[in-house]
Amino acid sequence: LERRTAMDTAGLPVVRQHASNLKSGPRGLLHETLPKHPVEQIQLQMHQQRQMKREGLANVFGQHMPMRLAYEEAVVSRPLRLPALHSERVALEVVTDSDTSLGFEDTLNDPRTAIETVDSHEVMERRLGIHVHTLEM
């Protein structure tokens, strides 16, 4: 069961289900009454737009088209290189139709311009669960 909030005529949030302090903690209701972060709203809008686009494709071309696009997206989103090496992922941008827009992720936090270096061996050992213990003297 999930809790849902609705807005009454005065604009105050109204809880439709009793909040359980044991399940969600004492601050569980506070999270639902506060407005969402702007980035979260943007991500939700993008997800809804993508869902509407896939529903439109299903109506026009048939049910196989959204499944085919989901398959193509899964194929091109697989890791291409070792974790420390940069991957452009041009095919993923084309499939998700994000190649025609310029966002913050295109310019900010680019791993190629990072100051600190990443040891690829250490990253792969951590990913595979291999812990190499070295003795320092």
Side-chain angles (χ1 to χ4, degrees):
L1 296 175
E2 56 184 53
R3 288 177 287 157
R4 297 178 184 213
T5 59
M7 300 300 271
D8 65 357
T9 57
L12 299 173
V14 178
V15 178
R16 293 183 185 169
Q17 181 183 359
H18 178 69
S20 173
N21 285 337
L22 293 176
K23 288 184 180 178
S24 60
R27 299 181 58 115
L29 184 60
L30 180 64
H31 174 68
E32 292 182 1
T33 58
L34 293 176
K36 293 184 178 180
H37 192 272
V39 174
E40 185 179 359
Q41 291 176 350
I42 291 170
Q43 289 176 341
L44 182 62
Q45 288 174 355
M46 289 177 58
H47 177 70
Q48 290 172 348
Q49 288 174 355
R50 200 171 3 182
Q51 189 68 24
M52 286 178 38
K53 180 180 176 183
R54 288 190 178 179
E55 288 175 5
L57 288 172
N59 291 337
V60 173
F61 297 107
Q63 290 295 327
H64 74 283
M65 195 61 173
M67 290 188 289
R68 179 179 177 181
L69 289 177
Y71 172 74
E72 288 177 357
E73 187 175 342
V75 167
V76 297
S77 64
R78 290 184 303 185
L80 303 175
R81 297 183 179 162
L82 292 175
L85 300 176
H86 180 70
S87 295
E88 288 291 333
R89 297 184 183 255
V90 177
L92 180 62
E93 291 180 3
V94 170
V95 168
T96 59
D97 199 30
S98 62
D99 58 337
T100 58
S101 63
L102 183 65
F104 290 112
E105 66 276 0
D106 294 327
T107 56
L108 298 177
N109 200 18
D110 190 3
R112 293 173 290 183
T113 60
I115 297 172
E116 64 273 351
T117 59
V118 178
D119 183 20
S120 60
H121 294 286
E122 182 180 335
V123 173
M124 282 304 294
E125 287 172 359
R126 201 174 323 125
R127 180 181 283 180
L128 297 173
I130 303 170
H131 300 288
V132 179
H133 298 287
T134 58
L135 297 175
E136 296 182 16
M137 294 188 184

